[in-house]
Amino acid sequence: ILLISQLIVQAQATSDPALVQSLLNALADPNRLQIIEALASGERCVCDLTSDLGLAQSRQSFHLKVLKQ
């Protein structure tokens, strides 16, 4: 949660409403929040995330792409 708060503060500091909107849209999905939480301790293999989060690999790839943007 601290990481998410820091990202929001940084986005707001840019005074770019589109950036803030993009960040909030990315964080609006519960699956993406689960992925962020799972990755908080470091890099993980997608296969591990698939089993831990119960998401199909294709859905995970989609959510990771959104978070990367």
Side-chain angles (χ1 to χ4, degrees), residues 2-4 10 17 19-20 22 29 34-38 47 53:
L2 179 61
L3 173 63
I4 294 169
Q10 288 175 354
L19 179 61
V20 175
S22 177
D29 188 283
Q34 285 182 313
I35 291 171
I36 291 170
E37 185 178 309
C47 59
L53 301 177

Side-chain angles (χ1 to χ4, degrees), residues 22-68:
S22 177
L23 177 62
L24 293 176
N25 284 338
L27 298 175
D29 188 283
N31 291 318
R32 290 185 211 129
L33 293 176
Q34 285 182 313
I35 291 171
I36 291 170
E37 185 178 309
L39 295 174
S41 60
E43 290 184 22
R44 303 209 24 220
C45 175
V46 173
C47 59
D48 292 338
L49 291 175
T50 301
S51 63
D52 291 350
L53 301 177
L55 290 174
Q57 192 273 332
S58 61
R59 291 304 307 157
Q60 261 185 51
S61 292
F62 169 77
H63 291 303
L64 288 168
K65 177 184 171 187
V66 171
L67 289 169
K68 184 177 178 180

